[in-house]
Structure formats: C-alpha cells, structure tokens
Amino acid sequence: MRAGVVVTAHPGVEDLAVQAEELGLHSFWLNDTPMVHGDPFIALGLCAKATSRIRLGIGVTSPALRSAPAAASAFASLNALAPGRIICGIGTGNTARRTLGMRPTTAATMESFTAALQDLCAGRTIEYREDDQVRDVRFLHTGAHANTADPIEFVVAALGPKAAAVAGRRGTGLISFGLLDPTAWQALHDARRHAAHGTPRDPDSRMDSYLVTALHILDEDEDEDEDPRGDAARDATGHIVLSLLAFAADTAADSRAFADQLGPEEREAVRRLLDRRGTTATAPDRHTKLYPDYLQRIAPEDRDLILPSLMNTLALVGTRDDLRARITTLEQAGIDELLIQPVIDPPTEMAQLAKLLT
C-alpha cells in the first residue's frame, strides 16, 4: 500500500512537503476548511515549487465554497506549477460548511461541480449557470498561466453509496475519513462499480481509493509495553476522535441524528463535549464553540473524551505487527493509499508511516 499525509495549511508547510518527498511518500494533501485553517491553494503553490515528485492534493474542496470556474482556475494554476502532480479532492463540504454554521451541499450539486471541473481542467467548454443566466465558459488563456494539457487526478469524498456512485459516474477515485471498516469500503467500491457500469471512461482518469486516519505505533519496551489507551495514544489520535464527536454534537438535534447511532458511552461523550464547550445542539452559534482548533492537537483536559472504542474505530493504534496485519486487510478491501493526519510530531510520524509500509 502507498503512503501519504494530510496536514493543515500554515507557514512553512512546504518544508514538510519536502520531508514527505524525501521519505518516499506518494502524496501530500492540505485541508480546505475556511475560517479554521490557512488557504490550501496558496500553501500548495509553495509546496509545488519546493518539490519535484510527490503528488499534491486538496482534500477536499466543495461547490459550496467556490464556483467551478474559480476552482478550475486554482487547480489549473497549480497544475502549471507541478504538471501532472495535482489531485483535486471534491466533497459536499460536510466539514467546511459546518464550521461556518451552514449545511453541506447535495450529492447532485457535487456531481455537477465535479463534471464542470473535469471539463474545464481538460480545456473543454462548459455551460455555466448563475440563477437564470447561462453562459459558455472555458479558459481563455492557457499554457504558462493554466495547464490544461497534463491530467489532474479527481477524487470524490465518500462515506456512503450516494457519493461513491458519483465517483463511479464521473470516473474518479474515492477518499474517506476514518473509515477503517473493510466491509464498508467494499460497499463503497460496489456502489462505484455499479454506477460506472456502461459509462464511458476518460483513459487518463485514475480511480484510486484513499483512507485518511491517524497513526500511533505502540512502544514495545523490553520492560513494559505501552498502554494502547494511554495519554500518548489519545494525544496522537484525539483530533480524529474529537472531529467525529463534534459532528455528532453539531447534528444531535437533527431528526436522523448521527449521535443516535452511537453507543451509550459515545453519546455521553457527545453530551460532555457540548457541556464543556458551553453550547447546545440547537444553539445557532454552536459552530463557533465546537470547531476551534479543529483537527489540531487536543488539550490534555479533553483526553477523557477520546474513548478507546472510537480510537479503535477511527484510527490505527497498535504494535507494528498488529498494524501491518490491519493494513493488509484494508489493502485487500481495495484501498490504494493510507493517508495519516499527524499533529504531535509530523516529521517523525511521517517517517514511522514510511517505515511501516516498506
């Protein structure tokens, strides 16, 4: 299985991209979460100039954040800096919209956006709509400014069959966050294959599958093995667990709340998170309380919220032998690349991932 990394945009991120390339990692991704993290397109431009081999991805953008022409211009500009190395991840904006206090867009809107980006980034003309206005749109000046000659890899974010079907119809790859269940991945791949049946496919398109998670390799000391539920393991995986708890808390008042699918201990953690942040599931400003420091290192006082059940479900924690066995199972389920989101010591965690998968 290939290895990659997902981080947030910040000054100096290009140095981390260089280290990832030197370690032999396959891809380097930046989150697209306005009002929470730095701008990924600006940061990825710096990474493009600093590297020469590693693939560079946005994970993920959304039609709820940018128009298709604006997004296509950004990706084609990156493609001019790093020809053939750009990955365009697209989603409904589940996180990026909720951190603004807004709802994500629909799978149908995401599909239209994906189709428009694919056409524009390949130099084709699209029918662009705004309200009742419809215009033909294409790049008017390419070459040094916008590269539409080298292919861009497209990847759709999916946790369920609707988004996976979009990937099938559009001939794209899949990316999923914290989905470590091989059976669930097989269902995603089945939905993509079923939707793709009989659909003409671009010969340049890739249909790889990417899994985003956190990694913590337990220290196997001669005298005493590390506790898989200890502070070090909770700190390394807590950002992934808290992201799920924040989503559950944010949607707890919905008629089909995600929190209702959790067990009693997990629902209690959601309740404690809301109380600790001083908000409720119906407060209109709850996003301002739930999402600060999103996907960053957790505070020590929040370690009790990082339940072992959720650590095991969402992240990879174990000895090297345990993790290699688990990764093999995921690879057999059709995952092509494991992406970790490190927060404690990214260079060290990237090196551990590279060594684990070699």
Side-chain angles (χ1 to χ4, degrees), residues 129-169:
R129 297 174 178 270
E130 286 189 7
D131 299 324
D132 59 347
Q133 299 183 84
V134 182
R135 299 288 187 272
D136 284 346
V137 172
R138 61 178 173 81
F139 277 105
L140 302 179
H141 190 183
T142 57
H145 297 269
N147 180 1
T148 60
D150 292 291
I152 290 175
E153 180 181 355
F154 288 88
V155 180
V156 164
L159 283 172
K162 285 186 178 180
V166 171
R169 288 189 292 270

Side-chain angles (χ1 to χ4, degrees), residues 241-250 262 266 269-270 273 305-306 310:
V241 173
L242 272 188
S243 70
L244 180 136
L245 292 178
F247 171 72
D250 191 18
L262 301 175
E266 290 79 12
V270 172
L273 176 64
L305 298 174
I306 312 307
L310 294 177

Side-chain angles (χ1 to χ4, degrees), residues 8 14 59 134 144 147 165 196 201 248 280 294 314 339 341 345 348 358:
T8 59
E14 68 273 21
V134 182
N147 180 1
R201 181 181 168 189
T280 68
Y294 184 76
L314 300 170
L339 306 173
Q341 188 136 30
D345 182 359
T348 298
T358 55

Side-chain angles (χ1 to χ4, degrees), residues 119-272:
D119 284 338
L120 287 172
C121 289
R124 297 187 286 266
T125 299
I126 68 164
E127 195 176 71
Y128 177 63
R129 297 174 178 270
E130 286 189 7
D131 299 324
D132 59 347
Q133 299 183 84
V134 182
R135 299 288 187 272
D136 284 346
V137 172
R138 61 178 173 81
F139 277 105
L140 302 179
H141 190 183
T142 57
H145 297 269
N147 180 1
T148 60
D150 292 291
I152 290 175
E153 180 181 355
F154 288 88
V155 180
V156 164
L159 283 172
K162 285 186 178 180
V166 171
R169 288 189 292 270
R170 298 311 314 164
T172 76
L174 291 172
I175 185 169
S176 200
F177 183 88
L179 192 66
L180 292 175
D181 181 0
T183 302
W185 269 101
Q186 290 164 359
L188 290 183
H189 289 142
D190 287 345
R192 181 173 61 178
R193 280 192 295 269
H194 180 74
H197 183 69
T199 302
R201 181 181 168 189
D202 184 339
D204 289 328
S205 67
R206 297 169 62 114
M207 296 183 70
D208 288 349
S209 294
Y210 299 85
L211 168 61
V212 183
T213 186
L215 174 72
H216 182 68
I217 302 174
L218 297 174
D219 184 14
E220 298 175 88
D221 188 88
E222 291 183 2
D223 298 322
E224 184 178 358
D225 291 343
E226 181 187 345
D227 182 1
R229 302 182 178 188
D231 288 350
R234 290 173 191 260
D235 288 347
T237 62
H239 57 299
I240 300 289
V241 173
L242 272 188
S243 70
L244 180 136
L245 292 178
F247 171 72
D250 191 18
T251 59
D254 292 355
S255 58
R256 303 172 76 176
F258 173 74
D260 294 341
Q261 303 174 36
L262 301 175
E265 187 181 16
E266 290 79 12
R267 290 198 299 272
E268 172 60 18
V270 172
R271 187 196 65 77
R272 293 206 311 276

